[in-house]
Amino acid sequence: MQRPEPLKQRIMNHSDWISREAEKSLTRLLPGVREALAGEDGLLPPDVRSVFETRLKFHFPRLFRLLVGLYGWQYDFHYHLEQILLTAARAWRQRPEYLRKLDALREADPHWFKSEQMVGGVLYVDLFADNLAGLHDHIGYFKRLGLTYLHLMPLFAVPRECNDGGYAVSDYRAIHPDVGTMEELTELARILNNEGISLVLDFVMNHTSDEHDWAWRARSGEADYQDFYLMFEDRAVVDQYQRNLRDIFPDIRRGSFTFDKQSGKWVWTTFNNFQWDLNYANPAVFHAMAEEMLFLANVGVDVLRLDAVAFTWKRMGTPCENLPEAHQLIQAFNALVRIAAPSMLFKSEAIVHPDEVVRYIHPEECQLSYNPLLMALLWEALATRDVTLLRYAMTHRGDIHPECVWVNYLRCHDDIGWTFDDDDARAVGIDPDGHRRFLNDFYTGRFPGSFAAGMPFQFNPETGDLRISGTLASLAGLETALAERDPVLVEASVRRINLLRSIMMSAGGIPLIYLGDEWGMLNDYTFLSDPARAGDTRWVHRSRKKWQSKDGTYDPEALEWRFFDELVTMVSLRKELPAFKNSGMKVVDTENRHVFGFLREGGGQRILVLNNFSEFPRHIPQHVLDRCTSATMFVDRITGRTVQNGDGIDLAGHQYIWLECL
Ligand code: OTU
């Protein structure tokens, strides 16, 4: 079901017409909305109702325009529009009091998340603390780390075995029974809110598990629910789509479709066979997912991580990735959230080409986004000891909308893909394909002299594509160094790890710690003996939390505690220094291909961050410093050492310094 293109153009080109239609439409829908707001008991106080109405009137024209663009050509458009608004009104009626207050606070301070105080952590509840109840005991630990943002990996009801680490959701309103209950999550959200920690949860919006109630109904032949997914009887149609698609999980299956025996149809499954892609061209799907989204908002979610946003809209003859409608879809959800739960933000998970990643970042789309390019290029520079590509890409690609932020990370639960731009690579004399092959060889430890112990993820023999699994510490060389019992190599890997963490903490945006990395967690190969996981190497960096020492006692000499302490130092400095507010970094040409440098400015403070990616000492000449500052003196905020500005700067191997210009 695809709308004819010219009509869409005609609609979009007539903004006056759209505004008039929006006005008429709202006038028609308001009485019903008011009824839904009051509820059967009519108990919602009039002032609370009018807050909703004010927001509705303000944001409706945008919502209307977006929905007309997506669905306006369908005969029952007005019916769906009405359902969507009624759902929003009911969600507002049910919204807990404290969240309504938070809505007002954040509307008055819309840049609250751009503070230098923001530091994120991400964990699996079951692996970290067994269950939600157990997580309460760790709040002190989170505070000790300085976290103000906590992403709990997907914890919803999923099939027991086939669940892609939680990304195959069977019920968005139920928690996995081993982890806890929705009541417990709701209570935890409130407690975290009191502690100043924002709750981040996933919204797995591209697909559901094949055990979701909608999928069961589709399978058993209910036409309405078959329309929730992309199901085809005709293999020829499937083949026609397939021609332009790429394989995301080629290890699992070639092609993006799975045959479902019961319905006798081919189902669109971009990822695993058991993850059925939703059909967003159907407005009923938009409405159903909006209901789930607003339900989660009312649980107390501060940031919703929108999973796999690139794939949500399909059109024959295209790669079905990053289509304009995929953006309109998120913008429509965004407009709806501004009306019914405005304190909640979106974080985009688009691990795609850098030009496409930034297109999801906008106050009216996703206010936060992973920064996969910085992540990948930090690993690239660590392997090559050369920051040329990193510097080049960050110089002309760093900027995003000033009201949005990057989420900067080194590792997450997924693989590392080399998503840099081919032309960027060529511009600095690098052959992109050869370089990706080198990086894959390097991080799987095949390249002679490599320090890394990564595992290959999803090799595609046709294209040669490969991604990398492994923990921060194992990829940075700690695992091989420990295996060789070589203290020099151990120290070298410690320095590499801290160098990367220095950049994550000082580059701006929200740094996001993959918990376990704070104490140097190594790869865990036990997944290989679990048949449900053995085929997915990402499990090598998803392991059960082990405390730093058996009883958790502090030992400053232990390697784990050294990692922890150094990170805590960086976190507290970051919070102390106004220059580290969440604006961007200004990349500096250090005239040394091993040293990545950037300036951070804010609150009357200027900090020059220098990071030596080589294991050898490097010198930054005075004229480079002169271009950055006329200060007479620097203080390295990491060591407290003062340095006269006059003879350039000497950096030891893998040293990082945060120089405050005085
Ligand atoms: C996401 O990642 C999740 O982070 C993964 O854990 C899931 O398996 C997947 O979606 C399906 O839900 O392919 O290798 O942006 O890179 O969305 C990870 C494109 C993935 C993909 C990304 C996806």
Side-chain angles (χ1 to χ4, degrees), residues 443-496:
Y443 281 108
T444 49
R446 289 193 292 247
F447 190 81
S450 163
F451 48 73
M455 291 189 86
F457 178 67
Q458 300 293 339
F459 177 59
N460 186 335
E462 251 165 56
T463 58
D465 282 352
L466 176 70
R467 281 119 77 187
I468 298 293
S469 295
T471 68
L472 167 64
S474 288
L475 293 176
L478 185 61
E479 187 175 322
T480 35
L482 289 172
E484 288 178 31
R485 295 170 188 275
D486 183 335
V488 177
L489 293 184
V490 169
E491 279 314 304
S493 66
V494 169
R495 293 178 76 83
R496 276 186 221 110

Short mmCIF file of all heavy atoms in Angstrom, two decimals, residues 443-496:
data_model
loop_
_atom_site.label_atom_id
_atom_site.label_comp_id
_atom_site.label_asym_id
_atom_site.label_seq_id
_atom_site.Cartn_x
_atom_site.Cartn_y
_atom_site.Cartn_z
N TYR A 443 41.26 -5.78 14.86
CA TYR A 443 40.46 -5.98 16.08
C TYR A 443 40.06 -7.43 16.33
O TYR A 443 39.61 -7.77 17.42
CB TYR A 443 39.28 -5.01 16.11
CG TYR A 443 39.78 -3.64 16.57
CD1 TYR A 443 39.90 -2.57 15.70
CD2 TYR A 443 40.22 -3.47 17.88
CE1 TYR A 443 40.42 -1.35 16.12
CE2 TYR A 443 40.75 -2.26 18.32
CZ TYR A 443 40.84 -1.20 17.44
OH TYR A 443 41.38 -0.01 17.87
N THR A 444 40.23 -8.28 15.32
CA THR A 444 40.05 -9.71 15.62
C THR A 444 41.39 -10.35 15.95
O THR A 444 41.49 -11.56 16.09
CB THR A 444 39.41 -10.44 14.42
OG1 THR A 444 40.13 -10.10 13.24
CG2 THR A 444 37.96 -10.06 14.26
N GLY A 445 42.42 -9.52 16.06
CA GLY A 445 43.73 -10.02 16.50
C GLY A 445 44.52 -10.73 15.42
O GLY A 445 45.57 -11.30 15.69
N ARG A 446 44.02 -10.70 14.17
CA ARG A 446 44.73 -11.42 13.09
C ARG A 446 45.90 -10.62 12.54
O ARG A 446 46.83 -11.17 11.97
CB ARG A 446 43.76 -11.72 11.94
CG ARG A 446 42.75 -12.79 12.28
CD ARG A 446 42.04 -13.28 11.03
NE ARG A 446 41.19 -12.23 10.50
CZ ARG A 446 39.85 -12.29 10.48
NH1 ARG A 446 39.24 -13.35 10.95
NH2 ARG A 446 39.14 -11.30 9.99
N PHE A 447 45.84 -9.30 12.69
CA PHE A 447 46.91 -8.47 12.13
C PHE A 447 48.15 -8.61 13.01
O PHE A 447 48.07 -8.47 14.23
CB PHE A 447 46.45 -7.01 12.09
CG PHE A 447 47.37 -6.12 11.32
CD1 PHE A 447 47.31 -6.05 9.93
CD2 PHE A 447 48.33 -5.35 11.98
CE1 PHE A 447 48.17 -5.23 9.22
CE2 PHE A 447 49.19 -4.53 11.27
CZ PHE A 447 49.11 -4.47 9.89
N PRO A 448 49.32 -8.89 12.41
CA PRO A 448 50.52 -9.09 13.23
C PRO A 448 50.78 -7.89 14.13
O PRO A 448 50.72 -6.74 13.67
CB PRO A 448 51.64 -9.23 12.18
CG PRO A 448 50.96 -9.55 10.90
CD PRO A 448 49.58 -8.99 10.97
N GLY A 449 51.03 -8.17 15.39
CA GLY A 449 51.34 -7.09 16.32
C GLY A 449 50.11 -6.46 16.94
O GLY A 449 50.23 -5.55 17.76
N SER A 450 48.92 -6.93 16.57
CA SER A 450 47.70 -6.36 17.14
C SER A 450 47.61 -6.65 18.64
O SER A 450 47.98 -7.74 19.08
CB SER A 450 46.48 -6.94 16.44
OG SER A 450 45.33 -6.69 17.22
N PHE A 451 47.10 -5.69 19.38
CA PHE A 451 46.92 -5.91 20.82
C PHE A 451 45.49 -6.37 21.13
O PHE A 451 45.16 -6.69 22.25
CB PHE A 451 47.23 -4.63 21.61
CG PHE A 451 46.57 -3.38 21.06
CD1 PHE A 451 45.20 -3.17 21.22
CD2 PHE A 451 47.31 -2.41 20.39
CE1 PHE A 451 44.60 -2.02 20.71
CE2 PHE A 451 46.71 -1.26 19.88
CZ PHE A 451 45.35 -1.07 20.04
N ALA A 452 44.61 -6.36 20.12
CA ALA A 452 43.17 -6.51 20.38
C ALA A 452 42.72 -7.96 20.42
O ALA A 452 43.24 -8.81 19.72
CB ALA A 452 42.40 -5.77 19.31
N ALA A 453 41.71 -8.22 21.25
CA ALA A 453 41.10 -9.55 21.32
C ALA A 453 39.60 -9.42 21.06
O ALA A 453 38.79 -9.59 21.96
CB ALA A 453 41.36 -10.19 22.68
N GLY A 454 39.24 -9.06 19.82
CA GLY A 454 37.82 -8.96 19.48
C GLY A 454 37.35 -10.19 18.75
O GLY A 454 38.16 -11.05 18.37
N MET A 455 36.04 -10.30 18.56
CA MET A 455 35.48 -11.42 17.79
C MET A 455 34.74 -10.87 16.58
O MET A 455 34.14 -9.80 16.65
CB MET A 455 34.51 -12.22 18.65
CG MET A 455 35.16 -12.99 19.78
SD MET A 455 33.97 -14.08 20.57
CE MET A 455 34.08 -15.53 19.51
N PRO A 456 34.75 -11.61 15.48
CA PRO A 456 34.02 -11.15 14.30
C PRO A 456 32.51 -11.26 14.50
O PRO A 456 32.04 -12.20 15.15
CB PRO A 456 34.48 -12.11 13.19
CG PRO A 456 35.02 -13.31 13.89
CD PRO A 456 35.46 -12.88 15.25
N PHE A 457 31.77 -10.29 13.97
CA PHE A 457 30.30 -10.32 14.05
C PHE A 457 29.74 -10.14 12.64
O PHE A 457 30.10 -9.20 11.94
CB PHE A 457 29.81 -9.21 14.99
CG PHE A 457 28.31 -9.12 15.10
CD1 PHE A 457 27.58 -10.15 15.70
CD2 PHE A 457 27.61 -8.02 14.61
CE1 PHE A 457 26.20 -10.08 15.81
CE2 PHE A 457 26.23 -7.94 14.72
CZ PHE A 457 25.52 -8.98 15.32
N GLN A 458 28.87 -11.06 12.24
CA GLN A 458 28.10 -10.97 10.99
C GLN A 458 28.96 -10.75 9.74
O GLN A 458 28.83 -9.75 9.04
CB GLN A 458 27.05 -9.84 11.09
CG GLN A 458 26.07 -10.02 12.20
CD GLN A 458 25.15 -11.21 12.00
OE1 GLN A 458 24.97 -11.70 10.89
NE2 GLN A 458 24.58 -11.71 13.07
N PHE A 459 29.81 -11.72 9.46
CA PHE A 459 30.61 -11.65 8.24
C PHE A 459 29.70 -11.88 7.03
O PHE A 459 28.89 -12.80 7.01
CB PHE A 459 31.72 -12.70 8.28
CG PHE A 459 32.54 -12.74 7.02
CD1 PHE A 459 33.23 -11.61 6.61
CD2 PHE A 459 32.63 -13.90 6.25
CE1 PHE A 459 33.99 -11.63 5.44
CE2 PHE A 459 33.39 -13.92 5.09
CZ PHE A 459 34.06 -12.78 4.68
N ASN A 460 29.81 -11.02 6.05
CA ASN A 460 29.05 -11.19 4.81
C ASN A 460 30.03 -11.53 3.69
O ASN A 460 30.76 -10.67 3.21
CB ASN A 460 28.28 -9.90 4.49
CG ASN A 460 27.37 -10.06 3.29
OD1 ASN A 460 27.60 -10.90 2.43
ND2 ASN A 460 26.33 -9.24 3.25
N PRO A 461 30.06 -12.81 3.28
CA PRO A 461 31.08 -13.22 2.30
C PRO A 461 30.92 -12.50 0.96
O PRO A 461 31.89 -12.33 0.23
CB PRO A 461 30.84 -14.73 2.14
CG PRO A 461 29.52 -15.02 2.75
CD PRO A 461 29.20 -13.91 3.71
N GLU A 462 29.69 -12.06 0.65
CA GLU A 462 29.47 -11.40 -0.63
C GLU A 462 30.12 -10.02 -0.69
O GLU A 462 30.69 -9.63 -1.69
CB GLU A 462 27.97 -11.22 -0.84
CG GLU A 462 27.43 -12.12 -1.93
CD GLU A 462 25.93 -12.17 -1.85
OE1 GLU A 462 25.29 -11.10 -1.89
OE2 GLU A 462 25.40 -13.30 -1.71
N THR A 463 29.99 -9.27 0.42
CA THR A 463 30.49 -7.90 0.41
C THR A 463 31.81 -7.79 1.17
O THR A 463 32.49 -6.77 1.10
CB THR A 463 29.49 -6.96 1.11
OG1 THR A 463 29.30 -7.45 2.45
CG2 THR A 463 28.15 -6.95 0.40
N GLY A 464 32.14 -8.82 1.96
CA GLY A 464 33.33 -8.75 2.79
C GLY A 464 33.09 -7.97 4.08
O GLY A 464 34.00 -7.79 4.88
N ASP A 465 31.84 -7.49 4.29
CA ASP A 465 31.53 -6.72 5.49
C ASP A 465 31.70 -7.56 6.75
O ASP A 465 31.37 -8.73 6.77
CB ASP A 465 30.07 -6.23 5.45
CG ASP A 465 29.92 -5.02 4.55
OD1 ASP A 465 30.95 -4.49 4.10
OD2 ASP A 465 28.76 -4.64 4.29
N LEU A 466 32.18 -6.89 7.77
CA LEU A 466 32.34 -7.56 9.06
C LEU A 466 32.28 -6.49 10.13
O LEU A 466 32.69 -5.35 9.91
CB LEU A 466 33.71 -8.27 9.09
CG LEU A 466 34.12 -8.96 10.38
CD1 LEU A 466 33.27 -10.18 10.62
CD2 LEU A 466 35.59 -9.37 10.32
N ARG A 467 31.72 -6.84 11.29
CA ARG A 467 31.74 -5.92 12.43
C ARG A 467 32.44 -6.63 13.59
O ARG A 467 32.76 -7.81 13.50
CB ARG A 467 30.29 -5.55 12.80
CG ARG A 467 29.70 -4.48 11.87
CD ARG A 467 28.46 -4.95 11.12
NE ARG A 467 27.27 -4.97 11.95
CZ ARG A 467 26.10 -5.48 11.57
NH1 ARG A 467 25.96 -6.03 10.37
NH2 ARG A 467 25.06 -5.45 12.37
N ILE A 468 32.67 -5.88 14.67
CA ILE A 468 33.54 -6.38 15.74
C ILE A 468 32.80 -6.41 17.08
O ILE A 468 32.14 -5.45 17.46
CB ILE A 468 34.78 -5.46 15.89
CG1 ILE A 468 35.61 -5.46 14.60
CG2 ILE A 468 35.63 -5.86 17.08
CD1 ILE A 468 36.27 -6.78 14.27
N SER A 469 32.95 -7.52 17.80
CA SER A 469 32.45 -7.62 19.17
C SER A 469 33.62 -7.64 20.14
O SER A 469 34.73 -8.03 19.75
CB SER A 469 31.65 -8.91 19.35
OG SER A 469 30.49 -8.90 18.56
N GLY A 470 33.36 -7.28 21.38
CA GLY A 470 34.42 -7.33 22.39
C GLY A 470 34.27 -6.18 23.37
O GLY A 470 33.65 -5.18 23.06
N THR A 471 34.81 -6.35 24.57
CA THR A 471 34.71 -5.27 25.56
C THR A 471 35.78 -4.21 25.31
O THR A 471 36.77 -4.47 24.63
CB THR A 471 34.89 -5.79 27.00
OG1 THR A 471 36.26 -6.21 27.14
CG2 THR A 471 33.97 -6.95 27.32
N LEU A 472 35.56 -3.07 25.90
CA LEU A 472 36.54 -1.98 25.83
C LEU A 472 37.93 -2.48 26.20
O LEU A 472 38.91 -2.28 25.47
CB LEU A 472 36.10 -0.85 26.78
CG LEU A 472 37.10 0.26 27.11
CD1 LEU A 472 37.45 1.06 25.87
CD2 LEU A 472 36.54 1.19 28.18
N ALA A 473 38.04 -3.16 27.35
CA ALA A 473 39.36 -3.57 27.84
C ALA A 473 39.99 -4.61 26.92
O ALA A 473 41.18 -4.54 26.62
CB ALA A 473 39.25 -4.09 29.26
N SER A 474 39.18 -5.58 26.46
CA SER A 474 39.76 -6.62 25.61
C SER A 474 40.18 -6.06 24.26
O SER A 474 41.20 -6.45 23.70
CB SER A 474 38.75 -7.77 25.41
OG SER A 474 38.64 -8.51 26.60
N LEU A 475 39.37 -5.15 23.72
CA LEU A 475 39.73 -4.56 22.42
C LEU A 475 40.96 -3.66 22.55
O LEU A 475 41.72 -3.51 21.60
CB LEU A 475 38.55 -3.76 21.84
CG LEU A 475 37.33 -4.58 21.42
CD1 LEU A 475 36.21 -3.66 20.97
CD2 LEU A 475 37.69 -5.57 20.32
N ALA A 476 41.14 -3.07 23.73
CA ALA A 476 42.27 -2.15 23.91
C ALA A 476 43.52 -2.88 24.40
O ALA A 476 44.52 -2.24 24.72
CB ALA A 476 41.89 -1.03 24.87
N GLY A 477 43.47 -4.20 24.48
CA GLY A 477 44.71 -4.95 24.71
C GLY A 477 44.91 -5.55 26.09
O GLY A 477 45.90 -6.25 26.31
N LEU A 478 43.99 -5.31 27.01
CA LEU A 478 44.22 -5.82 28.37
C LEU A 478 44.18 -7.35 28.42
O LEU A 478 44.97 -7.97 29.14
CB LEU A 478 43.20 -5.22 29.34
CG LEU A 478 43.41 -5.56 30.81
CD1 LEU A 478 44.76 -5.05 31.31
CD2 LEU A 478 42.28 -4.99 31.67
N GLU A 479 43.29 -7.92 27.64
CA GLU A 479 43.14 -9.38 27.71
C GLU A 479 44.42 -10.09 27.26
O GLU A 479 44.91 -10.99 27.95
CB GLU A 479 41.94 -9.79 26.84
CG GLU A 479 41.60 -11.25 26.98
CD GLU A 479 40.33 -11.63 26.20
OE1 GLU A 479 39.38 -10.81 26.17
OE2 GLU A 479 40.31 -12.73 25.64
N THR A 480 44.97 -9.68 26.13
CA THR A 480 46.21 -10.34 25.65
C THR A 480 47.38 -10.03 26.59
O THR A 480 48.20 -10.90 26.86
CB THR A 480 46.57 -9.90 24.22
OG1 THR A 480 46.20 -8.54 24.05
CG2 THR A 480 45.85 -10.73 23.19
N ALA A 481 47.42 -8.80 27.11
CA ALA A 481 48.51 -8.44 28.02
C ALA A 481 48.48 -9.31 29.28
O ALA A 481 49.52 -9.80 29.74
CB ALA A 481 48.41 -6.96 28.39
N LEU A 482 47.28 -9.52 29.81
CA LEU A 482 47.16 -10.35 31.03
C LEU A 482 47.52 -11.80 30.71
O LEU A 482 48.17 -12.47 31.51
CB LEU A 482 45.76 -10.26 31.61
CG LEU A 482 45.39 -8.92 32.28
CD1 LEU A 482 43.91 -8.89 32.65
CD2 LEU A 482 46.26 -8.65 33.51
N ALA A 483 47.09 -12.26 29.53
CA ALA A 483 47.39 -13.65 29.15
C ALA A 483 48.90 -13.85 29.02
O ALA A 483 49.42 -14.91 29.35
CB ALA A 483 46.69 -14.00 27.84
N GLU A 484 49.58 -12.83 28.55
CA GLU A 484 51.04 -12.94 28.41
C GLU A 484 51.78 -12.61 29.70
O GLU A 484 53.00 -12.66 29.75
CB GLU A 484 51.53 -12.04 27.27
CG GLU A 484 51.12 -12.58 25.91
CD GLU A 484 51.54 -11.68 24.76
OE1 GLU A 484 52.57 -11.00 24.88
OE2 GLU A 484 50.80 -11.66 23.75
N ARG A 485 51.02 -12.25 30.74
CA ARG A 485 51.59 -11.90 32.05
C ARG A 485 52.72 -10.89 31.91
O ARG A 485 53.79 -11.04 32.52
CB ARG A 485 52.11 -13.15 32.77
CG ARG A 485 51.05 -14.13 33.13
CD ARG A 485 51.67 -15.43 33.61
NE ARG A 485 50.66 -16.45 33.77
CZ ARG A 485 49.92 -16.61 34.87
NH1 ARG A 485 50.09 -15.81 35.89
NH2 ARG A 485 49.02 -17.56 34.93
N ASP A 486 52.49 -9.91 31.07
CA ASP A 486 53.55 -8.93 30.81
C ASP A 486 53.13 -7.57 31.38
O ASP A 486 52.27 -6.90 30.82
CB ASP A 486 53.78 -8.84 29.29
CG ASP A 486 54.91 -7.89 28.95
OD1 ASP A 486 55.19 -6.97 29.75
OD2 ASP A 486 55.51 -8.07 27.87
N PRO A 487 53.76 -7.17 32.51
CA PRO A 487 53.34 -5.93 33.16
C PRO A 487 53.49 -4.69 32.27
O PRO A 487 52.70 -3.75 32.38
CB PRO A 487 54.25 -5.82 34.39
CG PRO A 487 55.28 -6.87 34.26
CD PRO A 487 54.83 -7.85 33.23
N VAL A 488 54.44 -4.70 31.37
CA VAL A 488 54.61 -3.55 30.48
C VAL A 488 53.42 -3.44 29.53
O VAL A 488 52.86 -2.36 29.31
CB VAL A 488 55.94 -3.66 29.68
CG1 VAL A 488 56.07 -2.50 28.70
CG2 VAL A 488 57.12 -3.71 30.64
N LEU A 489 53.02 -4.58 29.00
CA LEU A 489 51.86 -4.58 28.11
C LEU A 489 50.58 -4.22 28.86
O LEU A 489 49.70 -3.54 28.33
CB LEU A 489 51.69 -5.94 27.43
CG LEU A 489 52.77 -6.36 26.43
CD1 LEU A 489 52.42 -7.68 25.77
CD2 LEU A 489 52.96 -5.27 25.36
N VAL A 490 50.49 -4.67 30.10
CA VAL A 490 49.30 -4.34 30.91
C VAL A 490 49.23 -2.82 31.06
O VAL A 490 48.18 -2.21 30.82
CB VAL A 490 49.34 -5.04 32.29
CG1 VAL A 490 48.25 -4.49 33.20
CG2 VAL A 490 49.18 -6.54 32.13
N GLU A 491 50.34 -2.20 31.43
CA GLU A 491 50.34 -0.75 31.61
C GLU A 491 49.97 -0.04 30.31
O GLU A 491 49.23 0.93 30.29
CB GLU A 491 51.72 -0.26 32.09
CG GLU A 491 51.95 -0.42 33.58
CD GLU A 491 50.78 0.05 34.44
OE1 GLU A 491 50.35 1.22 34.31
OE2 GLU A 491 50.26 -0.76 35.25
N ALA A 492 50.49 -0.57 29.20
CA ALA A 492 50.20 0.05 27.90
C ALA A 492 48.69 0.00 27.63
O ALA A 492 48.11 0.98 27.15
CB ALA A 492 50.97 -0.66 26.79
N SER A 493 48.07 -1.11 27.95
CA SER A 493 46.63 -1.20 27.66
C SER A 493 45.83 -0.30 28.60
O SER A 493 44.84 0.31 28.19
CB SER A 493 46.14 -2.65 27.71
OG SER A 493 46.24 -3.14 29.02
N VAL A 494 46.29 -0.19 29.84
CA VAL A 494 45.62 0.72 30.78
C VAL A 494 45.66 2.14 30.23
O VAL A 494 44.67 2.87 30.25
CB VAL A 494 46.29 0.66 32.18
CG1 VAL A 494 45.79 1.77 33.08
CG2 VAL A 494 46.07 -0.71 32.81
N ARG A 495 46.79 2.52 29.69
CA ARG A 495 46.92 3.88 29.15
C ARG A 495 46.02 4.08 27.92
O ARG A 495 45.42 5.13 27.76
CB ARG A 495 48.39 4.17 28.79
CG ARG A 495 49.29 4.24 30.02
CD ARG A 495 50.74 4.47 29.63
NE ARG A 495 51.01 5.85 29.23
CZ ARG A 495 51.26 6.85 30.08
NH1 ARG A 495 51.28 6.60 31.38
NH2 ARG A 495 51.50 8.06 29.64
N ARG A 496 45.93 3.05 27.10
CA ARG A 496 45.04 3.16 25.93
C ARG A 496 43.59 3.35 26.37
O ARG A 496 42.86 4.17 25.83
CB ARG A 496 45.13 1.88 25.08
CG ARG A 496 46.28 1.88 24.12
CD ARG A 496 46.19 0.64 23.22
NE ARG A 496 47.52 0.11 23.06
CZ ARG A 496 47.96 -1.03 23.58
NH1 ARG A 496 47.15 -1.81 24.27
NH2 ARG A 496 49.19 -1.39 23.40
#
